[in-house]
Amino acid sequence: MANFYPRWFTMYPTAALTGLTSSSFTWSASAVIVHKVATADLKNKIGKQVDIATQKYFGIYLGIVAFGQIFSNGVTGLILEFVNDDLLGLNHKTVETDFDINLTLTTQAPQYKTTNSSVIDISQCAARDCPAEYAYSDSTKLDVFIPDDSSRYVLLGWYLFMQLGAVLLHSIAMDSIPVDNYRKNIIANKNEEESPTRKPLLDKPKEENDCSALFASIKIFILHLTSLQGILSAPVYLLYGLTISFIWSEFSRAYVSCVVGISQVGLTSALVDLLSLTVSMIISKCASNFGRFYIFIFGMCYDIALYVATLFWVPTPSTSYLVYIFASLFGVTHAVRRNTQYLTTSALCPDKDVGFTIQNVLGGIGLMMTYAWTTAFCVYVKIYIMIGSVVVTTVLWVFSNRIHHKKKLTDNSKNQS
């Protein structure tokens, strides 16, 4: 409904439901699962072995996610490129209202052009794009961001087909768990946790157990987030949210749609994910050789160079191909930032379940910040913000990692003595 009847009463509930179901549940749960799989056989191990296992499995997991995104973006690119209203025999209609004379005119005009140079001055795209200048007016620049109606129908149909296909695939391929065995496992796990000096946990009211666990998690969440370790590592998660929202909103709009057309968003997104997949697998294989510290230092130097390049580039029809190169380069940034936030959680948070929740919450806040100021600032201002965020985050993380390393050495010394 939000796609085909965009009004405030369809878009706001859609956004709320997406945040509740997709972000808060899915990503937190998947991160916890991957960590438990990675450390399943390392319960009695500490230090480097756990770090290596975590880095490996998160690299594999993020690589699989990137592969799925490459496939989806490839299909999206094909739909936007080849499916249009002219192909399906639909007519474009736009309505312009003259408020001075109260006259309404209906004109035949395409909503979307693949050659943007004939519609707008592309030298005002990229870092010089300022949404505040056209977002609230009937500017012709808005035309390049609007796909054909037929493209939206095909995209939605394909999306629903993928969702139903996934449910069918899971129902066929996954073994079902008998209810009786499931309940027996829960009872067995609870009995293992009972204290020898107290009544078994099963004797307590269920509501009391659930509430105690909930408030205990919230307490750990607040204590870690307000600790020195939590404060110093929090910018890592914020930066990840800022980074992915910059790529999927600012870069996709001001660089891709504005310069080479909205039909290329799928292709450039696939390039981002392709490089993200490749670099994630490299980090998975090689992270144990150079460690988290050098990943962060590399990420800072690389990001600064990339943001400076996008800041000073002035697009022209003859250099529009650079959009695809930038997309590939942002794929490296995407992989590094995504892996560093998972590595930070697995290394610095004592309670991993709470740590991944903090990661998800702060990453969401980073997303929210970008979308909140997307029409308030020009893109070059946002690039300055990204450069500053990268530098500050890296410096604070170095301090956080140093504190964690000293604490680990102290704890090991105490255990040995």
Side-chain angles (χ1 to χ4, degrees):
M1 289 182 65
N3 274 279
F4 297 102
Y5 195 73
R7 300 293 187 272
W8 69 265
F9 51 83
T10 58
M11 297 180 71
Y12 290 159
T14 298
L17 288 172
T18 301
L20 285 171
T21 57
S22 299
S23 180
S24 60
F25 296 147
T26 307
W27 287 109
S28 295
S30 60
V32 171
I33 291 170
V34 173
H35 176 76
K36 289 187 179 298
V37 170
T39 58
D41 298 327
L42 299 171
K43 292 181 179 179
N44 298 322
K45 307 288 184 179
I46 60 173
K48 193 174 181 180
Q49 288 180 301
V50 174
D51 290 342
I52 293 173
T54 303
Q55 292 169 7
K56 174 183 177 180
Y57 278 89
F58 271 115
I60 295 173
Y61 162 70
L62 295 175
I64 294 172
V65 172
F67 178 80
Q69 291 173 324
I70 292 169
F71 173 77
S72 299
N73 285 317
V75 173
T76 300
L78 291 174
I79 292 173
L80 289 173
E81 182 69 30
F82 296 107
V83 177
N84 53 68
D85 288 356
D86 294 332
L87 178 66
L88 299 183
L90 301 177
N91 293 324
H92 298 277
K93 290 185 179 181
T94 59
V95 179
E96 298 178 355
T97 305
D98 187 341
F99 294 97
D100 294 333
I101 59 176
N102 197 24
L103 178 64
T104 301
L105 297 175
T106 303
T107 58
Q108 298 282 339
Q111 291 178 305
Y112 151 70
K113 294 182 181 298
T114 56
T115 305
N116 293 338
S117 57
S118 63
V119 180
I120 59 174
D121 179 10
I122 63 173
S123 66
Q124 298 305 308
C125 297
R128 291 168 175 77
D129 179 66
C130 297
E133 297 177 357
Y134 59 83
Y136 305 105
S137 63
D138 295 329
S139 171
T140 57
K141 193 172 183 178
L142 289 173
D143 294 342
V144 300
F145 306 129
I146 304 174
D148 291 327
D149 289 335
S150 56
S151 299
R152 286 184 285 173
Y153 282 109
V154 176
L155 282 171
L156 181 61
W158 175 255
Y159 178 74
L160 293 176
F161 172 76
M162 289 179 63
Q163 296 291 328
L164 295 175
V167 173
L168 180 62
L169 181 63
H170 278 74
S171 64
I172 295 175
M174 293 186 68
D175 295 331
S176 60
I177 301 176
V179 176
D180 291 340
N181 289 343
Y182 176 72
R183 296 182 66 181
K184 289 179 181 178
N185 289 334
I186 293 178
I187 294 173
N189 291 334
K190 287 187 175 181
N191 284 331
E192 289 177 1
E193 297 174 356
E194 69 178 19
S195 172
T197 59
R198 296 183 180 179
K199 297 175 64 177
L201 294 176
L202 290 179
D203 292 343
K204 296 182 180 180
K206 186 176 184 300
E207 293 76 7
E208 182 184 345
N209 290 333
D210 292 343
C211 291
S212 298
L214 175 61
F215 286 116
S217 299
I218 294 175
K219 182 180 179 180
I220 296 173
F221 180 97
I222 295 174
L223 289 176
H224 178 73
L225 196 57
T226 55
S227 66
L228 179 60
Q229 193 81 62
I231 294 172
L232 292 176
S233 59
V236 175
Y237 310 127
L238 290 172
L239 178 60
Y240 174 69
L242 290 172
T243 301
I244 61 174
S245 56
F246 181 89
I247 294 173
W248 303 131
S249 62
E250 306 302 332
F251 178 73
S252 293
R253 185 196 71 252
Y255 288 82
V256 182
S257 297
C258 197
V259 177
V260 294
I262 195 173
S263 63
Q264 301 302 303
V265 171
L267 175 58
T268 54
S269 298
L271 288 174
V272 171
D273 290 318
L274 177 62
L275 267 294
S276 180
L277 166 64
T278 304
V279 175
S280 291
M281 298 306 294
I282 292 174
I283 292 175
S284 172
K285 295 293 184 181
C286 304
S288 60
N289 296 328
F290 41 76
R292 292 184 300 271
F293 176 81
Y294 293 102
I295 295 176
F296 271 87
I297 298 301
F298 167 78
M300 181 183 70
C301 298
Y302 180 90
D303 285 355
I304 292 175
L306 178 56
Y307 285 126
V308 169
T310 57
L311 178 65
F312 289 103
W313 178 57
V314 179
T316 62
S318 61
T319 61
S320 59
Y321 67 90
L322 288 176
V323 167
Y324 304 101
I325 296 177
F326 283 138
S328 301
L329 296 176
F330 271 117
V332 179
T333 293
H334 186 260
V336 172
R337 293 302 160 199
R338 187 159 59 174
N339 278 274
T340 51
Q341 69 154 355
Y342 283 111
L343 297 178
T344 298
T345 301
S346 62
L348 303 182
C349 294
D351 188 299
K352 298 302 181 288
D353 294 5
V354 174
F356 289 123
T357 301
I358 293 174
Q359 166 189 301
N360 196 55
V361 170
L362 295 181
I365 293 175
L367 285 166
M368 182 184 66
M369 291 167 64
T370 297
Y371 297 137
W373 64 46
T374 188
T375 56
F377 303 130
C378 295
V379 174
Y380 69 86
V381 176
K382 300 166 188 173
I383 293 177
Y384 286 131
I385 293 174
M386 294 304 302
I387 293 175
S389 300
V390 168
V391 174
V392 171
T393 296
T394 304
V395 171
L396 293 178
W397 182 88
V398 169
F399 282 113
S400 177
N401 188 61
R402 187 65 178 172
I403 294 171
H404 176 71
H405 182 67
K406 288 183 177 180
K407 183 179 179 181
K408 183 184 292 186
L409 290 177
T410 303
D411 292 341
N412 289 339
S413 299
K414 291 180 179 179
N415 291 333
Q416 291 176 359
S417 60

